[in-house]
Amino acid sequence: MQKHRNYARQAVCLFLAAFVALMALAGCGGTTPPATTTAAAATTAAAAATTTAAAATTTTEPEPESGFEPITLTILGNFSSSTLFENGIMEDPVAQYIRENTGISIDLSMIPDSGDSQNRVNAMIAANDLPDILNNNGGNDQLLNCIESDLIWQLDDLIDAHAPDVKADNYAMAAILNRKMNAPDGSNNLFVFPMNRGYWDSAAFGPQRGFGIRWDLYKELGYPEITSTLELCDVLAQMVELEPVDKNGQKTYGGAVWNGEFQGTSFNAQILMMGIVNGPHYMFQVDIDTKQIREENTLKATDSYYWETLKWLNRMNRLGILDPDSFTQTYQNYMDKTSAGTYMMGGLTWSNAGANNTFIEDGTPEKQLIFLPSKIFGWKNIRLYDNMVGGERAWMVSKNCKTPERAVQLFNFMSTFEFSRVAHNGPEGINWSMASGLATPNPDYVDIKGDAVQDNMVETGARIFRLFTGYASAMINPADNQPVDLLSAARPLSDMHRDFMDHYGASSMDGVYMDGMDTYVSNVVVNWGQLPEELITYSTNLTDYRNTTFVDIVLSETDEEFAAEQQKFIAGLDAYRVDEMWQIYYDNAMSRADMVQPIYDLLDN
């Protein structure tokens, strides 16, 4: 674990959150839940779904500098969460850079994460109407379908023969082992190539999720002591009294969730702040320091993070500061209200950063949402650096691709730290240049905001490929000890952030969050395996059960009513055979622990 800590210290100057705000303005959300599908996105997806993917073909491009024979690969995927880019041969500067170095032109069909896009992809799979490369964004069921239908190439031998940079990269090989271990057919073979490895999040603004409160109002209240999530609710209520309406004249609230994804702003915030990893159906609790699995179903354990989360949601509701729209509003509603200053607490890095950016644009830069440190709640771990060991994105090569070795060559090139720098910032000499041996962003690139973000993406290619590259933005390039995303370290802190650091007696934001923590890096890998067929329907129904019964729990008006609803929920779990599910997942994790150790060995070295 000490090696994990040492690696994390390389990233202490990163400034990801402000950049994520820019991504939100550009229609991009980092690791956000999917935004509402626009008409343009739907049109793009429809076009992708109805176009028969051609096999790799020779292009008419001149011989590339790389010396490789020029070809075109058709690719279906979400590169940037944006609808700015038309289908067809990509010609932005980054695409040209790829062509110059690999001989490969990319014929792109964009498809959004949201809406019914995966249904359309699955229809393409059913018709064997696949491009050369596609994003496996439909989970293990989609991947297993492709494997069993013999529609995609197994990649093990291709990686051995055509990906020397990948084989020399411990992080990449750890991600490959992780994907092999989790092959849905149980074969321990590689059928997807993992991209977006490492860290999206940085310590510059706090964890990816947590309890981000209006620090300006907290300061105005005289920094009242907070030692528990229930006390936090009381402080939020005082903030609402100080600022009862937002900039649009609408009533303010302590916070909110959104329909169907309430865990996004509640359970996941709690999980990261407590420094644990959860498992299927939120039934598990894994300590990131010891990597030990709690031997108890957390849905039934009334002292677990699951019930602590529901208690503070209930507390907010009883104080009248939980937005009543929480049970019906969409994710986009939540984002819009956060940006308008409706909520005194936000749980997401990207929504909070978007709000902070809006506050600045509105001429009220003193208004800032800042994440509280875990130590004030008595927790000893925090997932400040949440390592995506298996990669956040995975890409398949279909058997319609007649040159799979070139597809793997493309993966090899795009997987490197060097290309990751280009993917996030564009080629050298456009948005950035070398100065005194350091990659240095241009001042106008650092100041980019609003509509200029989209314009810059189209003109320079920066950030277009950020979901189709080896490393996420906060990862440190060991060659120069700088983050691959140069904007991560370029933006200045606000006065409120400086006040936050002064309040906790630290000289940096990361110093606040790391202070007193046993562990602040999560490299936890668990192989939970799969449920037997007879439990699949029970699992699906359990999800519906959790997503509906939580409403009555949160709306409880007294402690006695909460306890009654809690026991009612726990008693109802038996109808979904949760004890059997828990035991199967736990036994899988224990029996496959030996498969995990080689992954840890690679990460440690």
Side-chain angles (χ1 to χ4, degrees):
M1 180 55 66
Q2 185 60 44
K3 291 182 179 179
H4 296 165
R5 292 173 179 160
N6 290 342
Y7 186 88
R9 289 192 179 99
Q10 295 178 324
V12 297
C13 65
L14 304 182
F15 210 75
L16 176 63
F19 173 60
V20 177
L22 297 176
M23 296 300 94
L25 293 172
C28 314
T31 51
T32 68
T36 303
T37 307
T38 64
T43 300
T44 300
T50 57
T51 301
T52 301
T57 57
T58 303
T59 71
T60 57
E61 295 292 334
E63 192 72 14
E65 295 178 10
S66 64
F68 291 106
E69 177 186 359
I71 65 167
T72 295
L73 295 178
T74 56
I75 300 180
L76 173 68
N78 183 341
F79 283 8
S80 62
S81 302
S82 175
T83 57
L84 298 172
F85 315 105
E86 297 180 0
N87 293 347
I89 304 295
M90 300 184 74
E91 295 293 353
D92 62 83
V94 176
Q96 293 179 35
Y97 179 85
I98 294 169
R99 182 185 301 140
E100 291 169 0
N101 286 276
T102 66
I104 297 171
S105 294
I106 294 176
D107 185 353
L108 174 66
S109 292
M110 283 290 290
I111 190 167
D113 282 338
S114 55
D116 67 345
S117 60
Q118 289 311 305
N119 291 333
R120 296 173 181 177
V121 173
N122 290 334
M124 296 170 68
I125 291 171
N128 191 16
D129 187 20
L130 298 177
D132 298 317
I133 298 171
L134 67 157
N135 184 10
N136 171 218
N137 206 26
N140 275 343
D141 290 342
Q142 183 184 83
L143 178 57
L144 183 60
N145 186 11
C146 290
I147 294 170
E148 292 180 339
S149 301
D150 196 28
L151 298 181
I152 58 176
W153 290 100
Q154 182 181 325
L155 300 178
D156 300 77
D157 292 342
L158 290 164
I159 294 293
D160 285 341
H162 303 287
D165 294 314
V166 169
K167 293 182 66 178
D169 184 335
N170 282 359
Y171 258 89
M173 292 307 297
I176 285 173
L177 285 183
N178 183 286
R179 293 288 179 170
K180 286 164 64 75
M181 178 182 68
N182 288 289
D185 64 342
S187 65
N188 199 37
N189 292 324
L190 183 68
F191 292 98
V192 293
F193 188 80
M195 292 283 200
N196 293 87
R197 303 182 295 271
Y199 311 112
W200 278 118
D201 48 329
S202 78
F205 270 125
Q208 276 191 329
R209 295 178 176 88
F211 306 126
I213 67 171
R214 278 282 300 278
W215 190 262
D216 56 303
L217 296 180
Y218 186 61
K219 178 181 180 180
E220 186 175 343
L221 289 169
Y223 311 104
E225 185 178 30
I226 299 173
T227 62
S228 71
T229 52
L230 297 184
E231 288 181 354
L232 170 61
C233 296
D234 296 335
V235 171
L236 293 173
Q238 296 176 55
M239 292 182 182
V240 170
E241 291 181 4
L242 287 179
E243 193 170 295
V245 296
D246 63 21
K247 71 174 186 178
N248 298 321
Q250 300 299 309
K251 176 176 168 51
T252 59
Y253 294 95
V257 295
W258 63 90
N259 181 45
E261 290 280 353
F262 71 97
Q263 65 270 23
T265 46
S266 52
F267 289 140
N268 288 345
Q270 188 89 31
I271 286 165
L272 266 73
M273 291 291 285
M274 290 181 68
I276 59 178
V277 172
N278 63 307
H281 286 295
Y282 295 93
M283 290 192 293
F284 293 90
Q285 186 168 314
V286 187
D287 187 286
I288 68 168
D289 188 18
T290 65
K291 298 185 175 64
Q292 296 299 306
I293 301 173
R294 176 173 177 165
E295 297 183 11
E296 189 174 12
N297 188 330
T298 53
L299 296 181
K300 293 187 172 185
T302 57
D303 65 339
S304 69
Y305 71 88
Y306 191 89
W307 288 104
E308 183 165 347
T309 299
L310 291 177
K311 283 178 181 176
W312 62 257
L313 284 172
N314 173 249
R315 176 72 170 179
M316 287 177 64
N317 186 69
R318 285 159 65 178
L319 290 169
I321 60 171
L322 180 68
D323 186 351
D325 291 341
S326 293
F327 308 111
T328 57
Q329 70 179 355
T330 66
Y331 165 74
Q332 192 58 52
N333 294 148
Y334 173 86
M335 291 290 289
D336 292 342
K337 290 180 181 179
T338 303
S339 291
T342 304
Y343 302 136
M344 300 299 145
M345 180 177 73
L348 311 172
T349 298
W350 50 94
S351 65
N352 291 3
N356 290 346
N357 192 50
T358 300
F359 291 145
I360 293 171
E361 291 178 351
D362 288 345
T364 55
E366 72 281 358
K367 295 184 177 183
Q368 294 284 288
L369 289 162
I370 301 178
F371 285 103
L372 293 170
S374 287
K375 65 181 178 181
I376 68 173
F377 300 101
W379 300 324
K380 302 299 291 183
N381 300 323
I382 182 174
R383 280 166 61 182
L384 190 59
Y385 294 91
D386 198 18
N387 185 12
M388 300 180 290
V389 177
E392 191 256 348
R393 295 280 167 152
W395 297 83
M396 303 182 288
V397 181
S398 83
K399 289 199 171 177
N400 288 336
C401 179
K402 304 307 179 186
T403 56
E405 68 279 0
R406 297 299 297 275
V408 170
Q409 175 205 356
L410 181 67
F411 293 156
N412 183 70
F413 176 73
M414 301 180 79
S415 180
T416 61
F417 278 103
E418 291 74 17
F419 178 77
S420 297
R421 169 72 49 74
V422 172
H424 287 285
N425 305 279
E428 181 181 355
I430 301 178
N431 289 322
W432 62 282
S433 58
M434 297 301 296
S436 301
L438 295 176
T440 305
N442 301 337
D444 57 346
Y445 183 51
V446 174
D447 293 335
I448 192 170
K449 62 175 67 73
D451 293 340
V453 175
Q454 295 183 349
D455 294 340
N456 181 268
M457 291 175 73
V458 174
E459 293 170 6
T460 72
R463 300 176 297 283
I464 292 177
F465 286 86
R466 65 187 185 83
L467 298 180
F468 191 32
T469 190
Y471 287 102
S473 56
M475 281 295 285
I476 298 295
N477 183 343
D480 58 18
N481 205 36
Q482 292 180 266
V484 295
D485 170 25
L486 297 175
L487 290 181
S488 295
R491 296 186 179 278
L493 295 172
S494 71
D495 289 342
M496 284 298 105
H497 287 95
R498 294 189 184 90
D499 186 78
F500 171 84
M501 293 185 294
D502 290 343
H503 177 71
Y504 289 109
S507 59
S508 63
M509 294 291 289
D510 57 272
V512 175
Y513 297 114
M514 294 176 184
D515 182 40
M517 294 294 101
D518 291 338
T519 303
Y520 48 80
V521 177
S522 173
N523 285 325
V524 172
V525 179
V526 181
N527 187 330
W528 300 108
Q530 304 293 320
L531 290 175
E533 187 67 31
E534 64 180 285
L535 290 180
I536 296 300
T537 299
Y538 287 96
S539 177
T540 300
N541 292 338
L542 175 60
T543 298
D544 294 337
Y545 178 70
R546 288 191 299 100
N547 284 336
T548 54
T549 54
F550 97 96
V551 177
D552 290 334
I553 296 169
V554 172
L555 294 180
S556 300
E557 296 182 358
T558 65
D559 290 345
E560 292 75 17
E561 185 179 344
F562 183 93
E565 290 292 342
Q566 181 183 60
Q567 291 307 311
K568 179 180 175 182
F569 171 85
I570 292 173
L573 290 171
D574 290 340
Y576 302 94
R577 299 171 66 176
V578 293
D579 291 338
E580 293 177 65
M581 288 188 204
W582 187 92
Q583 195 64 53
I584 289 170
Y585 283 129
Y586 181 82
D587 290 345
N588 286 342
M590 293 297 99
S591 65
R592 301 175 187 188
D594 289 344
M595 300 174 69
V596 171
Q597 190 56 48
I599 297 174
Y600 289 143
D601 292 342
L602 284 166
L603 295 175
D604 285 340
N605 292 309

